[in-house]
Amino acid sequence: MDLVFVSRLQFALTIAFHYIFPPLTIGISVVMVYLEVQHLRTGDMLFKTAAKFWTRIFALNFALGVATGIVMEFQFGTNWAGYSRFVGDVFGSALAAEGIFAFFLESGFLALLVFGWDRVSARMHVFATSMVCLGSIFSSIWIVVANSWQQTPAGHHIVQMVRDGQPLSIDGEPVLRAEIVDFWALVFNPSAVHRLIHVWIGAFLCGSFFVMSISAWYLLKRQHEQFAKKSFSGALIFATLASLAAVVSGHFQANNVYQYQPAKLAAFEGHYETGPGDMSLFGIPDNDAGRIRFNIAIPGGLSFLVHESFDEPVAGLDRFRREDRPPVVITFASYHIMIGLGMAFVGLTLLASFLHWRGNLYQQRWLMWLFVFAVFGPLVANQVGWVSAEVGRQPWIVHPPVEWTDNGDLVVGPEGVVVYDENLGLRTSNAVSPSVSASQVLASLIGFSAIYLFLLVAWLFVLDRKIRHGPEPLDRAPEVEVIDKGLLRAVTGRVDHDITSSYPPAEE
Amino acid sequence: MDWATLAVVWFLLEGALLMGYAILDGFDLGVGILHPFVPRTDQERRIAINAIGPVWDGNEVWLVTFGGALFAAFPEAYATVFSGFYTAFMLLLAALIARAVSMEFRSKVEGRGWRRFWDWLFFGGSAVATLLFGVAVGNAMIGIPLDVAGNFTGTLFDQLKPYPVLVGLMTVALFAMHGGLYLYLKTEGDFQERLRDWLWRSWGIFLVFYMLTTMYTLALVPRATSNFERWPWAALFVVAGVLAVANIPRCLHWGQPFQAFASSGTVIATLVMLFGLALYPNLVTASNDPANSVTIFSAASSPKTLTIMLIIALIGMPFVLAYTSIIYWVFRGKVQLDEHSY
């Protein structure tokens, strides 16, 4: 069994499961801020009930995000020691900044957000919600910066390690690592901003489709209709804008990928031979034949995407040695699924917005059913988007630079293929932990699979119960703002918040 | 600042993060360890969980930041430790996941079996995580076999020697006592009365392990005290630790629970300081060949990175202390369950 393969599989599994939650929490936190601000502005209790309902869902998702997130931080060291030694100086600072700036902010104010409804003023509560939202956005910044640096490294230099004042060599080989030269160049490395915007859009799509899914279900069941319509229409605006923005942002990213990781773009598009490129809409890449089978393509589409001209040549996979090419089938398929889903979001949200404008959106039961299940769209799109970005980066874990001639051709070696400078990047195969055996990783992989499967089932079960339970009915919510809890209690004699009435008696 | 000074500063900051984590999440883990023993009814279990409900997540961030800062400031040590203790870290992750989700899931369904299940997972996660932290500290004290590149060359059984296991058990007793004292501050009535007996019990158990560990360390781990020759004043930590341990029963007797809690926090703080002192200047000691040890100077990042990180820490930490104070202030006093509680 291959240590590199099982290590990659474990990373893929754990990051994929973790990445269900951050986009949902980022997206939902924006919705909560909106609802609470609306409540403060209008005094309409419906907004507060809605905010409380989404907070409960948020807290559940957040807990799973935290529990599965710590795995990610530890795994760089446990499974990727070679990588950690190479990039720690650069990558570690982004990760530490994430802890200090983002996680403390999120986790601190989360307490007020979830448990503080009756303990702090409404204004303070909105502030806490905004800080949680900000914290979750901050954390996405640092981790995406770190990831982008692996794709398009900048602001660093590669030097031989120094130990006790002497350059370090082991077995005659110099030990190299990346060190920061310019912190801001590192933060704003060439793909960071594009990727970050795309990640945010993905999170907004997740959050808004999630809200629409639950709202649509209530509308179909004729429950909490007022609440559901308010949530749905707010989320729909958000989703429509995000869907359109995703297309634009995707276009910019494709250009960036071509410039810095041309092998990845060629794999995205199944572009085997250098020359004018078509944009494949559907097909199955055949590596042996070097072409796409069952291809349905827009002629010249790829050239247009890259050069904004239909017949300019685009560098293909033939410019790279076989061992320097990413796995084409996975990259191609995941990329195309993402694009297809992105187009479907545009169509679906525009149709729904049109019907909403016409005033008969909520009568379209088929469309509401479609929205109930449409939440899987953004969840899957987020996953496959990352799969294409990460598998497309292979065989590198830190991608070395490529060079271009003045007339837009790749600089190639005497054999007509790109000769990467091995010292300026790091191969995934050199990044694993030498002290860990494949069987140890297999055991932990099986363990994680079992735990995560169990968590997934428990999460869906609890989520389903929360959705069935629904928001608190309006008449149960207090009709005046709580100014002084004690006073209010004395005046109205409400015992709602008392454990004796809200919860079953003690069991023993 | 020059490179060596920066490395020492980051060693101290890592120590501060570890200390913050051990004191703060220490009581969360302790509440988990006491979970099957002290609370008797569902309501009491809810009180126990809600005592740490608003704060445990923030407390765990100290560990996350400790790990992130270790990665950034001492990448060689991070890589060596995390890959060297692979199986232990995987168990630790499973335990921390169990601890985190059990609190969240438990409260969501009222079935008796459901709650029992998550209660046990909450206990198991907390106890196993604590034990592993202690075992890791014990191993760091005696060292592990490393090759010249800093990679661990032993087997899992090299990490389960009697000394690390003893330190692990002491940590479980220490956190149980610490968590009990915290819970004592957050509860009232009959529950609090019962907790009293457990405080005495956990203090007694801790005392036994504390003395055993101290004797073992003095007798068989020469590194532990070698730095005392250089800095004789470090012996004050030992004295402070012993006094703090002795102060706990005095406070319990005279009804000063907050002072008792502060004392158990001090015990943890002194133990972390002694641990740091025993390590210095190593981060990971090679038990086979001292030349292979990972020291703070051989493992450190470039001076540029250490400086940037220092700036990040100086900007960030005041904020962190501010939020932490706000949260503890808002949720001060005895636990009150309401519709938003776990």
Side-chain angles (χ1 to χ4, degrees):
Chain A
M1 197 180 2
D2 180 25
L3 173 64
V4 177
F5 178 72
V6 279
S7 301
R8 283 179 64 194
L9 205 57
Q10 177 169 306
F11 199 88
L13 171 85
T14 49
I15 190 67
F17 188 70
H18 173 63
Y19 205 66
I20 296 172
F21 305 104
L24 277 178
T25 47
I26 292 174
I28 296 174
S29 71
V30 178
V31 173
M32 292 189 313
V33 172
Y34 164 80
L35 291 169
E36 283 198 50
V37 170
Q38 288 292 38
H39 167 243
L40 260 196
R41 224 170 47 84
T42 63
D44 186 345
M45 284 310 294
L46 194 58
F47 284 115
K48 188 171 183 181
T49 337
K52 278 193 180 180
F53 173 74
W54 294 114
T55 300
R56 285 166 197 253
I57 305 260
F58 175 87
L60 176 68
N61 293 344
F62 192 90
L64 280 148
V66 168
T68 55
I70 196 165
V71 177
M72 302 322 303
E73 194 210 31
F74 281 20
Q75 231 179 143
F76 295 121
T78 53
N79 293 70
W80 302 94
Y83 168 79
S84 302
R85 292 180 202 277
F86 185 76
V87 304
D89 194 283
V90 172
F91 192 95
S93 2
L95 211 64
E98 182 168 359
I100 290 177
F101 291 137
F103 291 155
F104 275 116
L105 185 67
E106 267 180 307
S107 61
F109 284 103
L110 182 77
L112 289 186
L113 167 62
V114 176
F115 303 103
W117 290 101
D118 303 333
R119 286 177 180 259
V120 295
S121 69
R123 265 169 213 288
M124 183 65 191
H125 199 273
V126 180
F127 178 72
T129 311
S130 313
M131 287 302 114
V132 171
C133 179
L134 197 65
S136 65
I137 290 176
F138 271 176
S139 66
S140 69
I141 293 177
W142 294 105
I143 197 65
V144 170
V145 161
N147 175 275
S148 299
W149 182 85
Q150 284 176 257
Q151 315 263 4
T152 56
H156 71 293
H157 60 175
I158 310 273
V159 291
Q160 194 172 0
M161 267 192 69
V162 176
R163 186 170 290 176
D164 305 322
Q166 296 295 319
L168 178 67
S169 295
I170 293 175
D171 300 333
E173 287 283 309
V175 182
L176 302 177
R177 74 169 176 185
E179 290 185 359
I180 294 184
V181 177
D182 179 347
F183 181 70
W184 294 110
L186 181 159
V187 171
F188 292 101
N189 67 68
S191 64
V193 175
H194 292 303
R195 181 170 285 104
L196 190 58
I197 291 174
H198 210 63
V199 161
W200 284 343
I201 292 169
F204 296 156
L205 280 169
C206 252
S208 52
F209 270 81
F210 187 78
V211 170
M212 289 195 290
S213 165
I214 294 174
S215 306
W217 194 76
Y218 288 147
L219 288 166
L220 285 167
K221 299 281 160 196
R222 307 207 184 288
Q223 293 166 348
H224 321 294
E225 285 182 83
Q226 227 186 336
F227 157 85
K229 282 181 184 171
K230 262 206 161 76
S231 297
F232 194 100
S233 58
L236 179 59
I237 300 172
F238 199 32
T240 312
L241 294 175
S243 306
L244 294 170
V247 177
V248 180
S249 140
H251 172 75
F252 282 117
Q253 263 202 304
N255 270 329
N256 182 274
V257 172
Y258 183 63
Q259 197 182 341
Y260 293 94
Q261 299 173 297
K264 185 199 270 190
L265 190 79
F268 278 172
E269 299 286 355
H271 185 53
Y272 287 94
E273 276 174 44
T274 304
D278 301 341
M279 185 183 282
S280 171
L281 300 179
F282 177 83
I284 301 167
D286 183 338
N287 281 331
D288 296 326
R291 65 185 183 88
I292 301 172
R293 290 157 62 194
F294 313 111
N295 195 11
I296 304 169
I298 304 172
L302 179 58
S303 294
F304 186 78
L305 180 74
V306 174
H307 300 296
E308 284 161 18
S309 137
F310 286 99
D311 48 13
E312 278 201 45
V314 176
L317 287 164
D318 56 355
R319 285 281 182 268
F320 302 91
R321 285 185 300 201
R322 279 204 171 254
E323 63 268 31
D324 291 345
R325 295 181 194 172
V328 181
V329 178
I330 298 176
T331 313
F332 179 91
S334 52
Y335 178 75
H336 278 80
I337 294 169
M338 176 187 74
I339 302 279
L341 286 168
M343 294 303 158
F345 303 150
V346 172
L348 188 59
T349 51
L350 284 181
L351 174 68
S353 299
F354 174 72
L355 292 171
H356 190 263
W357 173 68
R358 288 273 299 270
N360 58 359
L361 170 65
Y362 300 120
Q363 282 82 57
Q364 315 293 328
R365 290 184 66 85
W366 65 274
L367 192 58
M368 289 294 114
W369 274 116
L370 194 56
F371 269 109
V372 169
F373 295 102
V375 64
F376 291 106
L379 285 171
V380 171
N382 272 290
Q383 298 285 344
V384 292
W386 275 113
V387 169
S388 61
E390 299 297 281
V391 176
R393 192 192 59 227
Q394 304 302 328
W396 305 100
I397 197 163
V398 177
H399 199 285
V402 292
E403 287 173 42
W404 296 91
T405 61
D406 288 338
N407 50 7
D409 290 332
L410 266 177
V411 173
V412 291
E415 289 167 31
V417 291
V418 170
V419 182
Y420 289 109
D421 186 342
E422 300 276 337
N423 285 340
L424 293 181
L426 183 69
R427 284 187 188 268
T428 308
S429 52
N430 294 332
V432 289
S433 300
S435 59
V436 178
S437 69
S439 53
Q440 271 179 297
V441 181
L442 185 69
S444 59
L445 175 62
I446 293 170
F448 276 123
S449 308
I451 293 172
Y452 283 4
L453 187 66
F454 179 69
L455 287 185
L456 184 67
V457 172
W459 176 60
L460 291 174
F461 173 70
V462 170
L463 195 61
D464 178 63
R465 280 181 65 101
K466 278 180 189 262
I467 294 167
R468 280 177 204 279
H469 181 262
E472 294 302 319
L474 255 192
D475 51 347
R476 264 200 62 199
E479 275 154 31
V480 287
E481 268 317 327
V482 180
I483 298 158
D484 181 318
K485 208 170 131 197
L487 179 71
L488 185 83
R489 234 181 227 187
V491 173
T492 61
R494 264 167 31 87
V495 285
D496 255 16
H497 288 193
D498 218 319
I499 41 163
T500 47
S501 66
S502 314
Y503 291 93
E507 58 181 62
E508 277 158 328
Chain B
M1 271 188 269
D2 67 10
W3 199 2
T5 316
L6 280 165
V8 174
V9 167
W10 268 102
F11 179 69
L12 293 173
L13 285 174
E14 281 287 313
L17 285 169
L18 184 63
M19 196 189 289
Y21 176 71
I23 293 174
L24 293 172
D25 208 29
F27 67 70
D28 300 332
L29 292 166
V31 169
I33 295 167
L34 293 175
H35 199 62
F37 307 111
V38 187
R40 279 192 190 154
T41 62
D42 184 57
Q43 192 185 323
E44 287 182 356
R45 289 192 193 98
R46 290 189 59 216
I47 289 172
I49 290 172
N50 280 290
I52 61 170
V55 295
W56 74 266
D57 183 19
N59 294 342
E60 197 178 273
V61 176
W62 288 80
L63 176 68
V64 174
T65 307
F66 171 81
L70 187 69
F71 190 3
F74 303 108
E76 291 290 310
Y78 170 79
T80 296
V81 173
F82 280 59
S83 65
F85 291 97
Y86 187 82
T87 304
F89 267 105
M90 292 299 131
L91 282 174
L92 175 65
L93 287 172
L96 289 175
I97 291 173
R99 198 262 302 240
V101 299
S102 56
M103 284 184 272
E104 186 64 35
F105 281 143
R106 182 193 188 279
S107 65
K108 299 302 181 281
V109 179
E110 271 153 21
R112 189 188 162 114
W114 174 270
R115 292 203 162 179
R116 272 292 150 81
F117 175 78
W118 295 110
D119 280 333
W120 281 107
L121 219 55
F122 178 51
F123 161 73
S126 305
V128 170
T130 308
L131 182 71
L132 289 170
F133 284 131
V135 171
V137 169
N139 274 307
M141 294 286 287
I142 56 173
I144 51 175
L146 299 177
D147 68 14
V148 64
N151 290 310
F152 175 64
T153 53
T155 65
L156 183 61
F157 296 100
D158 291 322
Q159 296 167 356
L160 291 171
K161 291 183 175 159
Y163 181 73
V165 174
L166 179 64
V167 178
L169 292 173
M170 181 192 78
T171 314
V172 173
L174 173 62
F175 283 3
M177 174 182 79
H178 191 52
L181 285 164
Y182 175 77
L183 212 48
Y184 192 85
L185 295 172
K186 304 295 280 183
T187 52
E188 48 203 338
D190 180 45
F191 187 15
Q192 199 190 30
E193 274 308 304
R194 249 178 302 123
L195 199 52
R196 244 186 114 73
D197 301 336
W198 276 95
L199 290 180
W200 284 104
R201 231 167 276 168
S202 60
W203 180 78
I205 297 169
F206 168 67
L207 189 66
V208 172
F209 280 112
Y210 181 67
M211 292 197 295
L212 279 176
T213 312
T214 306
M215 287 188 285
Y216 198 141
T217 309
L218 290 175
L220 297 167
V221 190
R223 292 195 46 82
T225 46
S226 58
N227 277 325
F228 279 58
E229 288 159 26
R230 208 161 144 197
W231 300 298
W233 48 262
L236 286 176
F237 293 147
V238 182
V239 178
V242 171
L243 287 178
V245 173
N247 194 37
I248 293 169
R250 194 189 71 85
C251 298
L252 285 180
H253 182 74
W254 294 105
Q256 296 162 319
F258 186 79
Q259 214 190 61
F261 177 67
S263 297
S264 72
T266 309
V267 174
I268 296 173
T270 57
L271 288 173
V272 173
M273 283 192 268
L274 289 172
F275 173 53
L277 204 68
L279 281 184
Y280 185 87
N282 289 359
L283 285 164
V284 195
T285 304
S287 55
N288 48 336
D289 177 0
N292 290 352
S293 293
V294 180
T295 72
I296 61 171
F297 307 109
S298 70
S301 283
S302 63
K304 175 116 186 162
T305 291
L306 294 177
T307 311
I308 292 168
M309 295 258 303
L310 196 58
I311 295 168
I312 290 175
L314 288 175
I315 298 172
M317 282 327 270
F319 283 102
V320 171
L321 295 176
Y323 327 132
T324 311
S325 321
I326 293 174
I327 304 310
Y328 279 88
W329 173 251
V330 170
F331 294 97
R332 68 192 179 279
K334 306 291 180 191
V335 176
Q336 272 160 11
L337 299 179
D338 64 29
E339 58 168 327
H340 308 296
S341 303
Y342 277 134

